[in-house]
Amino acid sequence: MKVYKFGGASVKNADGVRNLRKIIDDEQQLFIIVSAMGKTTNALERVFMAAQQHDAKAALAEIASIREQHAVIIEELWHKPHTIERVEELFADLEQFVTATVYDPAEAEAWYDRIVAYGELVSTTIISEYLNYAGLPNTWIDMRRAIRTEQRHKDAEVDIEASTPLLRAAVEEAPTTIFVGQGFIGGAPDGTTTTLGREGSDYSAAVVAHILDAESMAVWKDVDGVLNADPKIFPDAVQIAELNYLDTIELAYSGAQIIHPRTIKPLQNKNIPLYVRPFGDKRKPGTVIRGMSAKVDVPILILKRDQVLLTIRSRDLSFVLEEKFAKIFALLEQFRIKANLVHNSAVNLSLCVDRNWHIDEAVAALRKAGFDVMKTEEMELLTIRGYTDELWRKYARSPKVFIKQSTQTTVRIVRKKN
Ligand code: ASP
Ligand code: MG
């Protein structure tokens, strides 16, 4: 078995779906994981926000527009007026959910998951139907039943042990050898829908590869492979031919948008190679990620945006030492805030964290617990692995830099957003 993952950008229109079909043409044993088409997840987040504000009208208008975009893709794929009953049902369910259910703020994350999951449910339904129509019999797998996650919404981790018999049974029972399943979504022990965090489809694909003992996994993207920097930010980015698992985890953790940070572990445990390949050209080799690789000989630059710098000091000016650290981190964990960089002096602890919905609550809780907290918004975290003197001069010396931390090979810079 091989596992192929197609992201939203690669299936954003009918041409993309036809191209997917071309890519899988000669495969026999294949599990395809698909994201929501194009920017559907962002649009569904808007549906969620409208529902949260009890604005049913805005939510329905947004759903209507998502529905229309998918209707256009379907018509173009079938080259004639065509509707897919199952897709109609999914949109009807979604409308019903946002209009008939009373929003409970304590259930924000669960609601979010329930709503945004439709992106993947719809995209896989269309793709599975289209492949059948185009002569590639396949089985649509409901990943809400086949992937069991922990009981946590919006950013759930997969319970691989519990998922293994479920997914294997779904595959064994099926009459075909090609499967289409949703990335990004799963089911909690209580039966509710969960999601694995934005861009989580890579992680879904890795879990499937692990459970089915796949020979390889490939992520088909709109770039030639893994680059040493985001070309939109650093124009002279170049491609890297090979990476090892460990470096990839480091890069993903620092914010490189290669793949979701949780993707590597399930692959590494079974030594499954991961190929990052260009969707537009099947002949190009892309990048391979596996246990051993040639040394990367270019600096790698990773920019993580949407950061907040918290500077925390104990009000009695006692040193912010171990036992205080534990208290602070436990509090942050409670509000689901991740520290990306930690820097401490005798009395201060500075943390560069992801901005999230609960940041102000967390700051209030820290203050209540006896800390003075200074919050600086609009920050970025730049990581440079294998930095050169030139890069140091260019990035570490700017007056926008608040904190820099360096080792022999890597420098990490917290700076004000440009
Ligand atoms: N559709 C989801 C997102 O846009 C998951 C994914 O693309 O991997 O975040
Ligand atoms: Mg996506």
Side-chain angles (χ1 to χ4, degrees):
M1 183 79 80
K2 285 187 191 166
V3 176
Y4 278 2
K5 181 253 166 173
F6 295 91
S10 39
V11 290
K12 67 172 190 269
N13 53 28
D15 280 345
V17 178
R18 282 192 206 101
N19 193 35
L20 174 152
R21 188 214 180 286
K22 271 191 226 137
I23 287 177
I24 66 170
D25 230 2
D26 33 347
E27 295 298 338
Q28 312 286 328
Q29 293 264 334
L30 184 66
F31 202 113
I32 306 166
I33 290 287
V34 190
S35 301
M37 291 174 160
K39 303 259 183 251
T40 304
T41 307
N42 294 351
L44 288 164
E45 285 187 341
R46 292 195 294 273
V47 171
F48 165 73
M49 285 179 315
Q52 199 178 27
Q53 286 152 17
H54 307 283
D55 189 347
K57 214 171 134 206
L60 290 176
E62 193 68 65
I63 296 172
S65 132
I66 300 171
R67 193 172 194 157
E68 177 57 26
Q69 286 161 23
H70 287 87
V72 168
I73 295 175
I74 294 172
E75 294 225 12
E76 281 183 15
L77 283 172
W78 269 263
H79 296 294
K80 61 180 183 211
H82 184 76
T83 50
I84 299 172
E85 203 178 315
R86 187 72 195 113
V87 171
E88 297 300 313
E89 282 167 16
L90 287 167
F91 281 115
D93 280 354
L94 175 58
E95 284 175 353
Q96 163 81 12
F97 180 71
V98 301
T99 48
T101 320
V102 182
Y103 174 69
D104 171 3
E107 295 287 310
E109 277 88 3
W111 261 61
Y112 173 95
D113 284 352
R114 174 80 204 268
I115 292 173
V116 298
Y118 282 93
E120 273 71 11
L121 292 169
V122 169
S123 71
T124 50
T125 303
I126 296 174
I127 286 166
S128 170
E129 285 274 324
Y130 175 72
L131 293 178
N132 275 325
Y133 164 77
L136 279 173
N138 67 89
T139 304
W140 184 84
I141 304 281
D142 186 342
M143 301 299 263
R144 293 170 300 182
R145 311 261 172 285
I147 295 295
R148 174 68 53 81
T149 68
E150 61 181 325
Q151 188 64 50
R152 173 189 173 99
H153 288 282
K154 202 166 179 271
D155 185 20
E157 197 164 334
V158 175
D159 180 343
I160 292 195
E161 218 183 291
S163 305
T164 299
L166 302 174
L167 182 67
R168 287 207 178 139
V171 163
E172 276 153 24
E173 281 159 15
T176 69
T177 59
I178 295 183
F179 304 88
V180 178
Q182 308 82 47
F184 182 53
I185 72 174
D190 72 353
T192 54
T193 303
T194 50
T195 64
L196 312 182
R198 289 301 308 262
E199 305 305 323
S201 298
D202 300 331
Y203 175 38
S204 303
V207 165
V208 169
H210 177 106
I211 292 176
L212 301 180
D213 291 312
E215 65 188 82
S216 67
M217 164 177 159
V219 172
W220 296 86
K221 289 181 82 104
D222 55 354
V223 288
D224 277 353
V226 176
L227 307 185
N228 72 326
D230 179 347
K232 283 179 226 128
I233 310 171
F234 304 102
D236 27 57
V238 294
Q239 194 190 324
I240 301 170
E242 296 179 18
L243 276 168
N244 63 39
Y245 293 131
L246 279 176
D247 283 342
T248 309
I249 292 175
E250 289 279 357
L251 297 178
Y253 173 79
S254 311
Q257 295 192 327
I258 313 171
I259 43 157
H260 189 278
R262 284 184 178 146
T263 310
I264 296 301
K265 202 170 136 232
L267 299 176
Q268 185 181 19
N269 289 348
K270 294 218 172 157
N271 219 1
I272 300 168
L274 166 62
Y275 295 89
V276 178
R277 300 189 57 185
F279 185 66
D281 193 344
K282 204 173 159 173
R283 290 162 308 181
K284 287 190 182 157
T287 297
V288 57
I289 298 166
R290 55 184 160 215
M292 301 273 273
S293 72
K295 202 168 168 298
V296 178
D297 55 6
V298 287
I300 301 181
L301 291 86
I302 305 144
L303 187 66
K304 210 174 168 100
R305 300 186 201 259
D306 280 335
Q307 301 294 297
V308 176
L309 182 65
L310 300 178
T311 306
I312 303 167
R313 170 182 297 184
S314 168
R315 215 165 281 142
D316 57 11
L317 273 193
S318 67
F319 294 160
V320 181
L321 282 177
E322 286 82 355
E323 73 275 24
K324 297 241 165 91
F325 277 29
K327 197 165 170 189
I328 292 167
F329 281 102
L331 251 167
L332 292 175
E333 165 58 26
Q334 210 178 307
F335 292 100
R336 310 169 62 133
I337 293 171
K338 289 190 198 117
N340 297 314
L341 175 137
V342 179
H343 190 83
N344 70 300
S345 71
V347 291
N348 282 339
L349 175 66
S350 299
L351 300 173
C352 181
V353 305
D354 288 336
R355 185 157 55 81
N356 86 354
W357 296 347
H358 306 294
I359 198 105
D360 291 322
E361 292 161 64
V363 169
L366 284 165
R367 290 190 176 136
K368 211 172 144 217
F371 297 100
D372 281 331
V373 185
M374 205 170 87
K375 182 182 85 172
T376 318
E377 304 239 30
E378 310 222 296
M379 303 300 284
E380 299 176 332
L381 175 61
L382 174 66
T383 304
I384 310 176
R385 279 168 70 87
Y387 63 91
T388 57
D389 290 344
E390 193 195 332
L391 289 169
W392 176 272
R393 278 195 299 276
K394 186 160 175 196
Y395 294 107
R397 292 245 181 102
S398 146
K400 291 202 158 93
V401 172
F402 280 48
I403 298 174
K404 53 180 168 266
Q405 279 182 347
S406 62
T407 63
Q408 296 276 44
T409 56
T410 303
V411 58
R412 305 181 73 210
I413 294 167
V414 180
R415 68 180 193 192
K416 192 85 191 163
K417 179 180 134 195
N418 275 321

